[in-house]
């Protein structure tokens, strides 16, 4: 079960919804320019990301490994291949 923490970082955002830190499932998507990521968040994180396009991901695997990734965020909420991929990965965890 500890290995699952590699895909569930704390997503830290700040914006209109205030300071928010919540554990989210994140997966990577290869893109030509860089590695893109997927995250499901529809409350505080969602509002903050839509307003600022910024987030920090804090990965922690007990007992001692942790690192932070600061990133710019693109919101994609229409039905497309990325959204279908995200939902498929999400279904694997359930």
């Amino acid at each position: 079960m500890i290995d699952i923490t590699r895909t569930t970082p704390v997503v830290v955002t700040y914006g209109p919804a205030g300071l928010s830190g919540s554990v989210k499932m994140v997966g990577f998507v290869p893109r030509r320019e860089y590695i893109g990521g997927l995250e499901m968040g529809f409350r505080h994180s969602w509002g903050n990301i839509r307003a600022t396009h910024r987030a920090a991901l804090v990965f922690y695997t007990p007992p001692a490994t942790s690192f932070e990734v600061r990133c710019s965020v693109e919101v994609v909420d229409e039905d497309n291949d990325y959204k279908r991929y995200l939902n498929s990965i999400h279904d694997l965890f359930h």
Side-chain angles (χ1 to χ4, degrees):
M1 287 302 287
I2 288 180
D3 284 340
I4 201 169
T5 62
R6 294 179 184 161
T7 61
T8 55
V10 175
V11 176
V12 180
T13 62
Y14 184 75
L19 182 62
S20 176
S22 58
V23 176
K24 304 288 186 185
M25 183 183 79
V26 175
F28 294 101
V29 177
R31 292 186 62 172
R32 193 180 323 220
E33 313 85 58
Y34 51 86
I35 300 288
L38 294 173
E39 185 264 334
M40 294 181 79
F42 301 106
R43 289 188 169 186
H44 300 108
S45 298
W46 182 252
N48 288 343
I49 287 170
R50 288 181 72 84
T52 67
H53 300 279
R54 304 292 299 159
L57 308 178
V58 181
F59 292 88
Y60 175 66
T61 303
T65 303
S66 67
F67 59 94
E68 174 189 14
V69 178
R70 295 179 185 183
C71 49
S72 58
V73 181
E74 174 188 359
V75 175
V76 178
D77 55 4
E78 69 268 1
D79 190 25
N80 59 27
D81 289 338
Y82 289 126
K83 190 169 185 177
R84 285 188 288 278
Y85 174 75
L86 171 62
N87 285 328
S88 297
I89 296 299
H90 182 261
D91 290 347
L92 289 174
F93 281 86
H94 294 285

Coordinates of all heavy atoms in Angstrom, one line a residue:
M1 N 0.8 -1.2 0.0 CA 0.0 0.0 0.0 C 0.9 1.3 0.0 O 0.4 2.3 -0.5 CB -0.9 0.0 1.2 CG -2.1 -1.0 1.1 SD -3.1 -0.7 -0.3 CE -4.0 0.7 0.1
I2 N 2.1 1.2 0.5 CA 2.9 2.4 0.6 C 3.2 2.9 -0.9 O 3.3 4.0 -1.1 CB 4.2 2.2 1.4 CG1 3.8 2.1 2.9 CG2 5.2 3.3 1.2 CD1 4.9 1.9 3.8
D3 N 3.4 1.9 -1.8 CA 3.7 2.3 -3.2 C 2.7 3.2 -3.8 O 3.0 4.0 -4.7 CB 4.0 1.1 -4.0 CG 5.3 0.4 -3.8 OD1 6.2 1.1 -3.2 OD2 5.5 -0.8 -4.1
I4 N 1.4 3.1 -3.4 CA 0.4 3.9 -3.9 C 0.6 5.4 -3.7 O 0.1 6.2 -4.4 CB -1.0 3.4 -3.4 CG1 -2.1 3.9 -4.4 CG2 -1.3 3.9 -2.1 CD1 -3.5 3.3 -4.2
T5 N 1.4 5.8 -2.7 CA 1.6 7.2 -2.4 C 2.4 7.9 -3.5 O 2.4 9.1 -3.6 CB 2.3 7.4 -1.0 OG1 3.6 6.7 -1.1 CG2 1.6 6.8 0.1
R6 N 3.0 7.1 -4.4 CA 3.7 7.7 -5.5 C 2.8 8.4 -6.5 O 3.2 9.2 -7.3 CB 4.5 6.6 -6.2 CG 5.6 6.1 -5.3 CD 6.4 5.0 -6.0 NE 7.4 4.5 -5.1 CZ 8.0 3.4 -5.2 NH1 7.8 2.6 -6.3 NH2 8.9 3.0 -4.3
T7 N 1.5 8.0 -6.5 CA 0.5 8.6 -7.4 C -0.5 9.5 -6.7 O -1.4 9.9 -7.3 CB -0.2 7.5 -8.2 OG1 -1.0 6.7 -7.3 CG2 0.7 6.7 -9.1
T8 N -0.3 9.7 -5.4 CA -1.2 10.5 -4.6 C -0.5 11.6 -3.8 O -0.5 11.5 -2.6 CB -2.1 9.6 -3.6 OG1 -1.2 8.8 -2.8 CG2 -3.0 8.6 -4.4
P9 N 0.0 12.6 -4.5 CA 0.6 13.7 -3.7 C -0.4 14.6 -3.1 O -1.6 14.6 -3.4 CB 1.4 14.4 -4.8 CG 0.6 14.2 -6.0 CD 0.0 12.8 -5.9
V10 N 0.1 15.5 -2.2 CA -0.7 16.6 -1.7 C -0.6 17.7 -2.8 O 0.5 18.1 -3.2 CB -0.2 17.1 -0.4 CG1 -1.0 18.3 0.0 CG2 -0.3 16.0 0.7
V11 N -1.7 18.1 -3.3 CA -1.8 19.2 -4.3 C -2.0 20.5 -3.5 O -3.1 20.6 -2.8 CB -2.9 19.0 -5.3 CG1 -2.9 20.2 -6.3 CG2 -2.6 17.7 -6.1
V12 N -1.1 21.4 -3.5 CA -1.2 22.6 -2.8 C -1.5 23.8 -3.7 O -0.7 24.0 -4.7 CB 0.1 22.9 -2.0 CG1 0.0 24.2 -1.2 CG2 0.4 21.7 -1.1
T13 N -2.5 24.5 -3.5 CA -2.9 25.7 -4.3 C -3.3 26.9 -3.4 O -3.5 26.7 -2.2 CB -4.1 25.3 -5.2 OG1 -5.3 25.1 -4.4 CG2 -3.8 24.2 -6.1
Y14 N -3.3 28.0 -4.1 CA -3.7 29.2 -3.4 C -4.4 30.1 -4.4 O -4.0 30.2 -5.5 CB -2.5 30.0 -2.8 CG -3.0 31.2 -2.0 CD1 -3.6 31.1 -0.7 CD2 -2.9 32.5 -2.5 CE1 -4.0 32.1 0.0 CE2 -3.4 33.6 -1.8 CZ -3.9 33.4 -0.6 OH -4.4 34.5 0.1
G15 N -5.5 30.7 -4.0 CA -6.3 31.6 -4.9 C -7.6 32.0 -4.2 O -7.6 32.1 -3.0
P16 N -8.6 32.2 -5.0 CA -9.9 32.7 -4.4 C -10.5 31.8 -3.3 O -11.2 32.3 -2.4 CB -10.9 32.7 -5.6 CG -10.0 32.6 -6.8 CD -8.7 32.0 -6.4
A17 N -10.2 30.5 -3.4 CA -10.7 29.6 -2.4 C -9.8 29.5 -1.1 O -10.0 28.7 -0.2 CB -10.9 28.2 -3.0
G18 N -8.8 30.3 -1.1 CA -7.8 30.3 0.0 C -6.7 29.3 -0.2 O -6.6 28.7 -1.2
L19 N -5.9 29.1 0.8 CA -4.9 28.1 0.8 C -5.5 26.7 0.9 O -6.4 26.4 1.7 CB -3.9 28.3 2.0 CG -2.7 27.3 2.1 CD1 -1.8 27.5 0.8 CD2 -1.9 27.6 3.3
S20 N -5.1 25.8 0.0 CA -5.7 24.5 -0.1 C -4.6 23.4 -0.3 O -3.7 23.6 -1.1 CB -6.7 24.4 -1.2 OG -7.3 23.1 -1.3
G21 N -4.7 22.4 0.5 CA -3.8 21.2 0.3 C -4.6 20.0 0.5 O -5.3 19.8 1.5
S22 N -4.6 19.2 -0.6 CA -5.5 18.0 -0.5 C -4.8 16.8 -1.3 O -4.1 17.1 -2.3 CB -6.9 18.2 -1.1 OG -6.8 18.7 -2.4
V23 N -5.0 15.6 -0.8 CA -4.4 14.5 -1.5 C -5.2 14.1 -2.7 O -6.4 14.0 -2.6 CB -4.4 13.2 -0.5 CG1 -3.9 12.0 -1.2 CG2 -3.5 13.6 0.7
K24 N -4.5 14.0 -3.8 CA -5.2 13.8 -5.1 C -4.5 12.7 -5.8 O -3.3 12.4 -5.6 CB -5.2 15.0 -6.0 CG -5.8 16.2 -5.4 CD -7.3 16.1 -5.3 CE -7.8 17.5 -4.9 NZ -9.3 17.4 -4.7
M25 N -5.2 12.0 -6.7 CA -4.5 11.0 -7.6 C -4.0 11.8 -8.8 O -4.7 12.5 -9.4 CB -5.5 10.0 -8.1 CG -4.8 8.9 -8.9 SD -6.0 7.7 -9.6 CE -6.7 8.6 -10.9
V26 N -2.7 11.6 -9.1 CA -2.1 12.3 -10.2 C -1.4 11.3 -11.1 O -0.7 10.4 -10.6 CB -1.0 13.4 -9.7 CG1 -0.3 14.0 -10.8 CG2 -1.7 14.4 -8.8
G27 N -1.5 11.4 -12.4 CA -0.9 10.6 -13.3 C -0.2 11.4 -14.3 O -0.5 12.6 -14.6
F28 N 0.8 10.9 -15.0 CA 1.6 11.6 -16.0 C 1.1 11.3 -17.4 O 0.8 10.1 -17.7 CB 3.1 11.3 -15.8 CG 3.6 11.8 -14.5 CD1 3.9 11.0 -13.5 CD2 3.9 13.2 -14.4 CE1 4.4 11.5 -12.3 CE2 4.4 13.7 -13.2 CZ 4.6 12.8 -12.1
V29 N 1.2 12.3 -18.2 CA 0.8 12.1 -19.6 C 2.0 12.7 -20.5 O 2.3 13.8 -20.3 CB -0.5 13.0 -20.0 CG1 -0.8 12.9 -21.4 CG2 -1.6 12.5 -19.1
P30 N 2.6 11.8 -21.3 CA 3.7 12.3 -22.1 C 3.2 13.3 -23.2 O 2.2 13.1 -23.8 CB 4.2 11.1 -22.9 CG 3.5 9.9 -22.3 CD 2.3 10.4 -21.5
R31 N 3.8 14.5 -23.3 CA 3.5 15.5 -24.3 C 4.8 15.8 -24.9 O 5.9 15.7 -24.4 CB 2.9 16.7 -23.6 CG 1.5 16.4 -23.1 CD 0.8 17.5 -22.6 NE 0.5 18.5 -23.6 CZ -0.3 19.6 -23.4 NH1 -0.8 19.7 -22.3 NH2 -0.4 20.4 -24.4
R32 N 4.7 16.4 -26.1 CA 5.9 16.7 -26.9 C 6.8 17.7 -26.2 O 8.0 17.5 -26.1 CB 5.5 17.3 -28.2 CG 6.6 17.4 -29.2 CD 6.1 17.9 -30.5 NE 4.8 17.5 -30.8 CZ 4.3 17.1 -32.0 NH1 5.1 17.2 -33.0 NH2 3.1 16.8 -32.2
E33 N 6.3 18.7 -25.6 CA 7.1 19.8 -24.9 C 7.6 19.4 -23.5 O 8.6 19.9 -23.1 CB 6.3 21.1 -24.8 CG 5.6 21.5 -26.0 CD 4.2 20.9 -26.2 OE1 3.4 21.1 -25.3 OE2 4.0 20.3 -27.2
Y34 N 6.8 18.6 -22.8 CA 7.1 18.3 -21.4 C 6.2 17.1 -21.0 O 5.4 16.7 -21.7 CB 6.9 19.5 -20.5 CG 5.5 20.1 -20.8 CD1 4.4 19.7 -20.1 CD2 5.4 21.2 -21.7 CE1 3.2 20.3 -20.3 CE2 4.1 21.7 -21.9 CZ 3.0 21.3 -21.2 OH 1.8 21.8 -21.4
I35 N 6.3 16.7 -19.7 CA 5.5 15.7 -19.2 C 4.3 16.4 -18.6 O 4.4 17.2 -17.7 CB 6.2 14.9 -18.1 CG1 7.4 14.2 -18.6 CG2 5.2 13.9 -17.4 CD1 7.1 13.0 -19.5
G36 N 3.0 16.2 -19.1 CA 1.8 16.8 -18.6 C 1.3 15.9 -17.5 O 1.6 14.8 -17.3
G37 N 0.4 16.4 -16.6 CA -0.1 15.6 -15.5 C -1.6 15.7 -15.5 O -2.2 16.6 -16.0
L38 N -2.3 14.7 -14.8 CA -3.7 14.7 -14.6 C -4.1 14.7 -13.2 O -3.5 14.0 -12.4 CB -4.3 13.4 -15.3 CG -4.2 13.3 -16.8 CD1 -4.7 11.9 -17.2 CD2 -5.0 14.4 -17.5
E39 N -5.1 15.5 -12.8 CA -5.5 15.6 -11.4 C -7.0 15.8 -11.4 O -7.6 16.5 -12.2 CB -4.8 16.7 -10.8 CG -5.1 16.9 -9.3 CD -6.2 17.9 -9.0 OE1 -6.4 18.8 -9.7 OE2 -6.8 17.7 -7.9
M40 N -7.7 15.1 -10.4 CA -9.1 15.3 -10.3 C -9.4 16.1 -9.0 O -9.0 15.7 -7.9 CB -9.8 13.9 -10.1 CG -9.7 13.0 -11.4 SD -10.6 11.5 -11.1 CE -12.3 12.0 -11.3
G41 N -9.9 17.3 -9.2 CA -10.2 18.1 -8.1 C -11.3 19.1 -8.5 O -11.1 19.8 -9.5
F42 N -12.3 19.2 -7.7 CA -13.5 20.0 -8.2 C -14.0 20.9 -7.1 O -15.1 21.5 -7.3 CB -14.6 19.0 -8.6 CG -14.2 18.1 -9.7 CD1 -14.0 16.8 -9.5 CD2 -14.0 18.6 -11.0 CE1 -13.6 15.9 -10.5 CE2 -13.6 17.8 -12.0 CZ -13.4 16.4 -11.8
R43 N -13.2 21.2 -6.1 CA -13.7 22.2 -5.1 C -12.7 23.3 -4.9 O -12.5 24.1 -5.8 CB -14.0 21.5 -3.8 CG -15.2 20.6 -3.8 CD -15.5 20.1 -2.5 NE -16.9 19.5 -2.5 CZ -17.5 19.0 -1.5 NH1 -16.9 19.1 -0.3 NH2 -18.7 18.5 -1.6
H44 N -12.0 23.4 -3.8 CA -11.1 24.4 -3.5 C -9.9 24.4 -4.6 O -9.6 25.5 -5.1 CB -10.5 24.3 -2.1 CG -11.6 24.4 -1.1 ND1 -12.0 23.4 -0.3 CD2 -12.3 25.5 -0.7 CE1 -12.9 23.7 0.5 NE2 -13.2 25.0 0.3
S45 N -9.3 23.2 -4.8 CA -8.2 23.1 -5.7 C -8.7 23.6 -7.1 O -7.9 24.3 -7.8 CB -7.7 21.7 -5.8 OG -7.2 21.3 -4.6
W46 N -9.8 23.2 -7.5 CA -10.4 23.5 -8.9 C -10.5 25.0 -9.1 O -10.0 25.5 -10.1 CB -11.7 22.8 -9.0 CG -12.4 23.0 -10.3 CD1 -13.5 23.8 -10.6 CD2 -12.0 22.4 -11.6 NE1 -13.8 23.7 -11.9 CE2 -13.0 22.8 -12.5 CE3 -11.0 21.5 -12.0 CZ2 -12.9 22.4 -13.9 CZ3 -11.0 21.1 -13.3 CH2 -11.9 21.5 -14.2
G47 N -11.1 25.7 -8.1 CA -11.2 27.1 -8.2 C -9.9 27.9 -8.2 O -9.7 28.8 -9.0
N48 N -9.0 27.4 -7.3 CA -7.7 28.1 -7.3 C -6.9 27.8 -8.6 O -6.3 28.8 -9.1 CB -6.9 27.5 -6.1 CG -7.4 28.1 -4.8 OD1 -8.2 29.0 -4.7 ND2 -7.1 27.4 -3.7
I49 N -6.9 26.6 -9.1 CA -6.2 26.3 -10.3 C -6.7 27.1 -11.5 O -6.0 27.6 -12.3 CB -6.1 24.8 -10.6 CG1 -5.2 24.1 -9.5 CG2 -5.7 24.5 -12.0 CD1 -5.3 22.6 -9.5
R50 N -8.0 27.2 -11.6 CA -8.7 27.9 -12.7 C -8.3 29.4 -12.6 O -8.1 30.0 -13.7 CB -10.2 27.7 -12.7 CG -10.6 26.3 -13.1 CD -12.1 26.2 -13.2 NE -12.7 26.9 -14.3 CZ -12.8 26.5 -15.5 NH1 -12.3 25.3 -15.8 NH2 -13.4 27.2 -16.4
A51 N -8.1 29.9 -11.4 CA -7.7 31.3 -11.3 C -6.3 31.6 -11.4 O -5.9 32.7 -12.0 CB -8.2 31.8 -9.9
T52 N -5.4 30.8 -10.9 CA -4.0 31.1 -10.9 C -3.1 30.2 -11.9 O -2.0 30.6 -12.2 CB -3.4 30.9 -9.5 OG1 -3.4 29.5 -9.2 CG2 -4.1 31.7 -8.5
H53 N -3.6 29.1 -12.3 CA -2.9 28.1 -13.1 C -1.5 27.7 -12.5 O -0.6 27.4 -13.2 CB -2.6 28.7 -14.5 CG -3.9 29.0 -15.2 ND1 -4.6 28.1 -15.9 CD2 -4.6 30.2 -15.4 CE1 -5.7 28.6 -16.4 NE2 -5.7 29.9 -16.1
R54 N -1.5 27.7 -11.2 CA -0.3 27.3 -10.4 C -0.6 26.2 -9.4 O -1.7 26.3 -8.8 CB 0.4 28.5 -9.7 CG 0.7 29.6 -10.6 CD 1.8 29.4 -11.6 NE 3.0 29.0 -10.9 CZ 4.1 28.4 -11.4 NH1 4.0 28.0 -12.7 NH2 5.1 28.1 -10.7
A55 N 0.3 25.3 -9.1 CA 0.1 24.4 -8.0 C 1.5 23.8 -7.6 O 2.5 23.9 -8.4 CB -0.8 23.2 -8.4
A56 N 1.6 23.3 -6.4 CA 2.8 22.5 -6.0 C 2.3 21.1 -5.6 O 1.3 21.0 -4.9 CB 3.4 23.2 -4.8
L57 N 3.0 20.1 -6.1 CA 2.7 18.7 -5.7 C 3.8 18.3 -4.7 O 5.0 18.4 -5.0 CB 2.8 17.8 -7.0 CG 2.0 18.3 -8.2 CD1 2.2 17.3 -9.3 CD2 0.5 18.4 -7.8
V58 N 3.3 17.8 -3.6 CA 4.2 17.3 -2.6 C 4.1 15.8 -2.5 O 3.0 15.3 -2.1 CB 4.0 17.9 -1.2 CG1 4.9 17.4 -0.1 CG2 4.0 19.5 -1.3
F59 N 5.1 15.1 -2.9 CA 5.1 13.6 -2.9 C 5.8 13.1 -1.6 O 6.9 13.7 -1.3 CB 5.8 13.0 -4.1 CG 5.1 13.3 -5.4 CD1 5.3 14.4 -6.1 CD2 4.3 12.3 -5.9 CE1 4.7 14.6 -7.3 CE2 3.6 12.5 -7.1 CZ 3.8 13.7 -7.8
Y60 N 5.2 12.2 -0.9 CA 5.8 11.6 0.3 C 5.6 10.1 0.3 O 4.5 9.7 0.3 CB 5.2 12.3 1.5 CG 5.7 11.7 2.8 CD1 7.0 11.9 3.2 CD2 4.9 11.0 3.6 CE1 7.5 11.4 4.4 CE2 5.3 10.5 4.8 CZ 6.6 10.6 5.2 OH 7.1 10.1 6.4
T61 N 6.7 9.4 0.4 CA 6.7 8.0 0.5 C 7.4 7.6 1.8 O 8.6 7.8 1.9 CB 7.4 7.2 -0.6 OG1 6.7 7.6 -1.8 CG2 7.2 5.7 -0.5
P62 N 6.7 7.2 2.9 CA 7.3 6.9 4.2 C 8.4 5.9 4.0 O 8.3 5.0 3.1 CB 6.1 6.4 5.0 CG 4.9 6.9 4.3 CD 5.2 7.0 2.8
P63 N 9.4 5.9 4.9 CA 9.5 6.8 6.0 C 10.2 8.1 5.8 O 10.1 9.0 6.6 CB 10.3 6.0 7.0 CG 11.2 5.2 6.2 CD 10.5 4.9 4.9
A64 N 11.0 8.3 4.7 CA 11.8 9.4 4.6 C 11.9 10.1 3.2 O 12.6 11.1 3.1 CB 13.3 9.1 5.0
T65 N 11.3 9.6 2.2 CA 11.4 10.2 0.9 C 10.3 11.2 0.6 O 9.1 10.9 0.8 CB 11.3 9.1 -0.2 OG1 12.3 8.1 0.0 CG2 11.5 9.7 -1.6
S66 N 10.7 12.4 0.3 CA 9.7 13.4 -0.1 C 10.3 14.4 -1.1 O 11.5 14.6 -1.0 CB 9.1 14.1 1.1 OG 10.1 14.9 1.7
F67 N 9.5 15.0 -1.9 CA 9.9 16.1 -2.8 C 8.7 16.9 -3.3 O 7.6 16.4 -3.2 CB 10.8 15.5 -4.0 CG 10.0 14.6 -4.9 CD1 9.4 15.0 -6.0 CD2 10.0 13.2 -4.6 CE1 8.7 14.1 -6.8 CE2 9.4 12.3 -5.4 CZ 8.7 12.8 -6.5
E68 N 9.0 18.1 -3.7 CA 8.0 19.0 -4.1 C 8.2 19.3 -5.6 O 9.4 19.5 -6.0 CB 8.1 20.3 -3.3 CG 7.1 21.4 -3.8 CD 7.4 22.7 -3.2 OE1 8.4 22.9 -2.5 OE2 6.6 23.6 -3.3
V69 N 7.2 19.4 -6.4 CA 7.2 19.8 -7.8 C 6.3 21.0 -8.0 O 5.1 20.9 -7.7 CB 6.7 18.6 -8.7 CG1 6.7 19.0 -10.2 CG2 7.6 17.4 -8.5
R70 N 6.9 22.1 -8.4 CA 6.1 23.3 -8.6 C 5.7 23.3 -10.1 O 6.6 23.0 -10.9 CB 6.8 24.5 -8.2 CG 7.1 24.6 -6.8 CD 7.9 25.8 -6.4 NE 8.2 25.8 -5.0 CZ 8.8 26.7 -4.3 NH1 9.2 27.8 -5.0 NH2 9.1 26.6 -3.0
C71 N 4.5 23.6 -10.4 CA 4.1 23.5 -11.8 C 3.1 24.5 -12.2 O 2.4 25.1 -11.4 CB 3.5 22.1 -12.1 SG 2.3 21.5 -10.9
S72 N 3.0 24.8 -13.5 CA 1.9 25.6 -14.1 C 0.9 24.6 -14.5 O 1.2 23.4 -15.0 CB 2.4 26.4 -15.2 OG 3.0 25.7 -16.2
V73 N -0.4 24.9 -14.5 CA -1.5 24.0 -14.7 C -2.4 24.5 -15.8 O -2.8 25.7 -15.8 CB -2.3 23.8 -13.4 CG1 -3.4 22.8 -13.6 CG2 -1.4 23.4 -12.2
E74 N -2.7 23.6 -16.7 CA -3.7 23.9 -17.7 C -5.0 23.1 -17.4 O -4.9 21.9 -17.1 CB -3.2 23.4 -19.1 CG -4.1 23.5 -20.2 CD -3.6 22.8 -21.5 OE1 -2.5 22.3 -21.4 OE2 -4.3 22.8 -22.5
V75 N -6.1 23.8 -17.4 CA -7.4 23.2 -17.1 C -8.0 22.7 -18.4 O -8.2 23.5 -19.3 CB -8.3 24.1 -16.3 CG1 -9.7 23.5 -16.1 CG2 -7.7 24.5 -15.0
V76 N -8.3 21.4 -18.5 CA -9.0 20.9 -19.6 C -10.2 20.2 -19.1 O -10.2 19.2 -18.4 CB -8.1 19.8 -20.4 CG1 -8.9 19.2 -21.5 CG2 -6.8 20.5 -20.8
D77 N -11.4 20.8 -19.4 CA -12.6 20.2 -18.8 C -13.6 19.7 -19.9 O -14.7 19.3 -19.6 CB -13.3 21.1 -17.8 CG -13.6 22.5 -18.4 OD1 -13.4 22.7 -19.6 OD2 -14.1 23.3 -17.7
E78 N -13.2 19.7 -21.2 CA -14.1 19.2 -22.2 C -13.8 17.7 -22.3 O -12.8 17.2 -21.9 CB -13.9 19.9 -23.5 CG -12.6 19.6 -24.2 CD -11.5 20.7 -23.9 OE1 -11.8 21.6 -23.1 OE2 -10.4 20.5 -24.4
D79 N -14.7 16.9 -23.0 CA -14.5 15.5 -23.2 C -13.5 15.3 -24.3 O -13.7 15.7 -25.4 CB -15.9 14.9 -23.5 CG -15.8 13.4 -23.5 OD1 -14.9 12.8 -22.8 OD2 -16.6 12.7 -24.2
N80 N -12.4 14.7 -23.9 CA -11.3 14.4 -24.9 C -10.5 13.2 -24.4 O -10.9 12.6 -23.4 CB -10.4 15.7 -25.1 CG -9.8 16.1 -23.8 OD1 -9.6 15.3 -22.9 ND2 -9.5 17.4 -23.7
D81 N -9.4 12.9 -25.2 CA -8.6 11.7 -24.8 C -8.0 11.8 -23.4 O -7.9 10.8 -22.7 CB -7.5 11.5 -25.8 CG -8.1 11.0 -27.2 OD1 -9.2 10.5 -27.2 OD2 -7.4 11.2 -28.2
Y82 N -7.6 13.0 -23.0 CA -7.0 13.2 -21.7 C -8.0 12.9 -20.6 O -7.7 12.2 -19.6 CB -6.5 14.6 -21.5 CG -5.2 14.9 -22.2 CD1 -5.1 16.0 -23.1 CD2 -4.1 14.0 -22.1 CE1 -4.0 16.2 -23.8 CE2 -2.9 14.3 -22.9 CZ -2.9 15.4 -23.7 OH -1.8 15.7 -24.4
K83 N -9.2 13.4 -20.7 CA -10.3 13.1 -19.7 C -10.7 11.7 -19.7 O -10.8 11.1 -18.6 CB -11.5 14.0 -20.0 CG -12.5 14.0 -18.9 CD -13.6 15.0 -19.1 CE -14.5 15.1 -17.9 NZ -15.5 16.1 -18.0
R84 N -10.8 11.0 -20.8 CA -11.1 9.6 -20.9 C -9.9 8.8 -20.2 O -10.2 7.8 -19.5 CB -11.3 9.1 -22.3 CG -12.7 9.6 -22.8 CD -13.1 9.0 -24.1 NE -12.3 9.5 -25.2 CZ -12.6 10.7 -25.8 NH1 -13.6 11.4 -25.4 NH2 -11.9 11.2 -26.8
Y85 N -8.7 9.2 -20.5 CA -7.5 8.5 -19.8 C -7.6 8.7 -18.3 O -7.4 7.7 -17.6 CB -6.2 9.1 -20.4 CG -5.0 8.6 -19.7 CD1 -4.5 7.3 -20.0 CD2 -4.3 9.4 -18.9 CE1 -3.3 6.9 -19.4 CE2 -3.1 9.0 -18.3 CZ -2.6 7.7 -18.5 OH -1.5 7.3 -17.9
L86 N -7.9 9.9 -17.8 CA -8.0 10.1 -16.4 C -9.0 9.3 -15.8 O -8.8 8.6 -14.7 CB -8.3 11.6 -16.2 CG -8.6 12.0 -14.7 CD1 -7.5 11.8 -13.8 CD2 -9.0 13.5 -14.7
N87 N -10.2 9.2 -16.4 CA -11.3 8.4 -15.8 C -10.9 6.9 -15.8 O -11.3 6.2 -14.9 CB -12.6 8.6 -16.6 CG -13.2 10.0 -16.2 OD1 -13.1 10.5 -15.1 ND2 -13.9 10.6 -17.2
S88 N -10.2 6.5 -16.8 CA -9.8 5.0 -16.9 C -8.8 4.7 -15.7 O -8.9 3.7 -15.1 CB -9.1 4.7 -18.2 OG -10.0 4.9 -19.3
I89 N -7.8 5.6 -15.5 CA -6.9 5.4 -14.4 C -7.6 5.4 -13.1 O -7.3 4.6 -12.2 CB -5.7 6.4 -14.5 CG1 -4.9 6.3 -15.8 CG2 -4.8 6.3 -13.3 CD1 -4.2 5.0 -15.9
H90 N -8.5 6.4 -12.9 CA -9.3 6.5 -11.7 C -10.1 5.2 -11.4 O -10.1 4.7 -10.3 CB -10.2 7.7 -11.8 CG -11.0 7.9 -10.6 ND1 -12.3 7.5 -10.4 CD2 -10.7 8.5 -9.4 CE1 -12.8 7.8 -9.2 NE2 -11.8 8.5 -8.6
D91 N -10.7 4.7 -12.5 CA -11.4 3.4 -12.3 C -10.6 2.2 -11.8 O -11.0 1.4 -11.1 CB -12.1 3.1 -13.6 CG -13.3 4.0 -13.9 OD1 -13.7 4.8 -13.0 OD2 -13.8 4.0 -15.1
L92 N -9.3 2.2 -12.2 CA -8.4 1.2 -11.8 C -8.2 1.1 -10.3 O -8.0 0.1 -9.7 CB -7.0 1.3 -12.5 CG -7.0 1.0 -14.0 CD1 -5.6 1.3 -14.5 CD2 -7.3 -0.5 -14.2
F93 N -8.3 2.3 -9.7 CA -8.1 2.4 -8.2 C -9.3 2.0 -7.4 O -9.3 1.9 -6.2 CB -7.6 3.8 -7.8 CG -6.2 4.0 -8.1 CD1 -5.8 4.5 -9.3 CD2 -5.2 3.8 -7.1 CE1 -4.4 4.7 -9.5 CE2 -3.9 4.0 -7.3 CZ -3.5 4.5 -8.6
H94 N -10.4 1.9 -8.1 CA -11.7 1.5 -7.5 C -12.1 0.2 -8.0 O -12.9 -0.5 -8.1 CB -12.8 2.5 -7.7 CG -12.5 3.9 -7.1 ND1 -12.6 4.1 -5.8 CD2 -12.0 5.0 -7.7 CE1 -12.2 5.3 -5.5 NE2 -11.9 5.9 -6.6

